[in-house]
Amino acid sequence: MSDLLTDLQFDKYRKLIYDASGITFSDNNRSILDSRLKERLREKQMDSADAYFTLVTSDQGEFKAFLDSVTTNLTRFFRNQPHFDALVNYVIPHVIENKKKTGETRIKIWSAGCSTGEEPYTIAMLLKDKLPSPYTFEIMASDISLKSLMVGKQGFYPNARIDGIPPAYLDRFFTKSDKGYQVKPELMNSIRFDYHNLRHDSGARNLDIVFCRNVLIYFDEPAQKSTIDRFYNSMGRDSYLFIGHSESLFGMDTKFKFLKTEWACLYHKEE
């Protein structure tokens, strides 16, 4: 195979990926698609991009493996600390005040595009530590990458991956071994990892908090709008949406209200 996909091949592959996931490959990130495709070809011992295209369009298992490979899974514990400061100091107190009106005590959270699980585990650690009685929480963590979800479900992280976790949390929520750290059952049981493609409705309703950070940047405007609308429909009254610090809903026709707190900017569903 040549160093780069032909223009025709590139157009075929990026349309296939976009139609399935909403992820957009432009000329600027074409090299990422090229390199990930080469990895799949080596693994399948194939040398033709056209032959592989025939395979992924006829074999659902291979297509999911291909989508896994083109999904960028860069994440870490406590990534973008101001978001978590806003969660603890602003969002949770407001959610609790809202719950008092209904008598509910369970807070429902979705970590969408959770990658290998660092984000939902970070949220769970904070809530285990900060959430007052009698309030409890449940976290739904989803991703389009089955490989990433398996890492999250297993809850084991090598030593190099636990940077950013406060020592007290590391002692409380993890068990140390020679090769890394295992999340304790207390924390694992508060999170449900599940495959989900953001092109579709998750079926979740009355969510109090949604995290979807550094995912929208891979979507074009129509896919972004559809995803944001689905989030809105899945969320309850007085609920909160976190997106990546480099992402914005500015200029988008959405019902979310921009909210600037002392710690970070986020979005509020008031209705």
Side-chain angles (χ1 to χ4, degrees), residues 33-122:
L33 175 57
D34 183 67
S35 65
R36 303 292 168 82
L37 180 59
K38 286 179 183 176
E39 291 172 10
R40 294 305 303 159
L41 289 174
R42 279 195 295 270
E43 188 160 325
K44 302 303 290 186
Q45 297 183 329
M46 300 175 70
D47 59 7
S48 165
D50 288 328
Y52 185 72
F53 187 85
T54 300
L55 176 63
V56 294
T57 51
S58 60
D59 184 328
Q60 192 62 30
E62 181 57 31
F63 182 54
K64 284 189 174 181
F66 175 59
L67 278 183
D68 260 7
S69 71
V70 300
T71 304
T72 302
N73 298 311
L74 176 66
T75 188
R76 64 179 183 272
F77 288 100
F78 290 89
R79 184 182 187 185
N80 194 3
Q81 181 67 45
H83 278 168
F84 299 112
D85 293 338
L87 173 69
V88 169
N89 295 306
Y90 184 92
V91 171
I92 292 300
H94 279 79
V95 168
I96 287 175
E97 282 302 310
N98 189 44
K99 295 288 182 188
K100 287 178 180 177
K101 300 172 188 175
T102 63
E104 293 178 66
T105 58
R106 196 151 185 83
I107 297 173
K108 297 169 66 175
I109 302 163
W110 182 11
S111 171
C114 69
S115 188
T116 44
E118 285 89 338
E119 178 180 270
Y121 281 127
T122 298

Side-chain angles (χ1 to χ4, degrees), residues 20 59 78 80 91 124 160 189 228 230-231 239 254:
D59 184 328
F78 290 89
N80 194 3
V91 171
N189 293 340
I228 291 299
R230 281 189 286 272
F231 284 148
S239 51
T254 172

Side-chain angles (χ1 to χ4, degrees), residues 121-132:
Y121 281 127
T122 298
I123 297 167
M125 282 187 276
L126 286 168
L127 295 191
K128 285 280 187 183
D129 186 34
K130 307 290 187 183
L131 195 62

Side-chain angles (χ1 to χ4, degrees), residues 193-208:
F193 287 95
D194 201 5
Y195 174 86
H196 179 65
N197 185 336
L198 290 173
R199 292 282 273 183
H200 309 297
D201 182 8
S202 68
R205 293 297 181 269
N206 296 314
L207 295 165
D208 298 296

Side-chain angles (χ1 to χ4, degrees), residues 163-220:
D163 285 350
I165 303 176
Y169 283 4
L170 206 54
D171 290 341
R172 177 177 170 184
F173 298 115
F174 292 80
T175 302
K176 191 180 187 321
S177 69
D178 291 340
K179 296 182 178 179
Y181 290 82
Q182 175 65 49
V183 179
K184 290 182 179 178
E186 171 196 5
L187 207 63
M188 295 183 75
N189 293 340
S190 64
I191 301 172
R192 176 171 60 87
F193 287 95
D194 201 5
Y195 174 86
H196 179 65
N197 185 336
L198 290 173
R199 292 282 273 183
H200 309 297
D201 182 8
S202 68
R205 293 297 181 269
N206 296 314
L207 295 165
D208 298 296
I209 303 164
V210 173
F211 278 77
C212 184
R213 303 187 302 166
N214 307 304
V215 175
L216 296 176
I217 52 175
Y218 298 105
F219 294 172
D220 66 1

